[in-house]
Amino acid sequence: MREELLGPKVENVAVCVAKEMGETGEAIYNVYLLNLGEDIIEGIIINSKGYGEHPETGEMIKTSTLRHCMELMLPNEAAKIEAIVEEVFVIANEYWVSFYVDGVMHDKKFVFVAGSITEENMIDIPQLACKGVVIK
């Protein structure tokens, strides 16, 4: 019975921080939701927030909670959630994603742990034609 309360397992959905080039050639970072499966996902709600301790000062940092909505995403599609600044890479950045597939609600928390958004952790993201850090 406890397993029924957990809901269906979320597969083929990911969140990524993509490194892209701005208009003047500087690096900018954007967060995307990736639908990696063959299902249409709809009624998408995303809550994002950052939290943690600054590694140099020990100061506790907590960002605002932002909420984003999207009507639907087609299979193998990417959708921009928000821009993100490098200053928050030193804390955890959390994205709680809820959506429906065939009328069944799915949700999953994706957390970029403090210090995980680095060049060394970046991989190619075919849907975006750039590199980034992906959490599935």
Side-chain angles (χ1 to χ4, degrees):
M1 178 163 168
R2 180 177 167 101
E3 291 156 3
E4 293 173 0
L5 296 175
L6 295 176
K9 185 175 180 181
V10 173
E11 298 178 322
N12 299 320
V13 173
V15 174
C16 74
V17 174
K19 181 179 181 181
E20 300 174 301
M21 288 300 163
E23 292 178 8
T24 58
E26 79 283 5
I28 59 171
Y29 297 89
N30 290 302
V31 182
Y32 288 88
L33 180 63
L34 304 175
N35 181 2
L36 304 172
E38 297 301 319
D39 295 317
I40 294 174
I41 62 176
E42 52 192 342
I44 306 159
I45 299 172
I46 304 163
N47 287 322
S48 66
K49 65 181 177 180
Y51 51 86
E53 186 177 304
H54 193 282
E56 295 172 8
T57 65
E59 174 189 7
M60 289 304 296
I61 300 171
K62 184 177 177 184
T63 68
S64 300
T65 298
L66 301 176
R67 292 170 180 84
H68 310 275
C69 296
M70 298 175 205
E71 287 189 36
L72 65 88
M73 286 180 66
L74 300 174
N76 297 306
E77 186 175 41
K80 183 177 172 183
I81 299 171
E82 64 187 14
I84 188 169
V85 293
E86 289 182 74
E87 288 79 17
V88 298
F89 292 176
V90 297
I91 60 174
N93 291 279
E94 176 183 297
Y95 295 85
W96 194 296
V97 181
S98 300
F99 58 91
Y100 289 90
V101 174
D102 296 327
V104 177
M105 185 176 176
H106 296 68
D107 68 332
K108 183 173 180 178
K109 181 173 25 175
F110 299 87
V111 180
F112 293 92
V113 295
S116 65
I117 305 171
T118 63
E119 290 284 336
E120 296 80 37
N121 292 334
M122 292 189 178
I123 61 170
D124 288 322
I125 305 169
Q127 294 87 344
L128 301 172
C130 65
K131 288 187 175 276
V133 178
V134 179
I135 298 178
K136 293 182 183 178

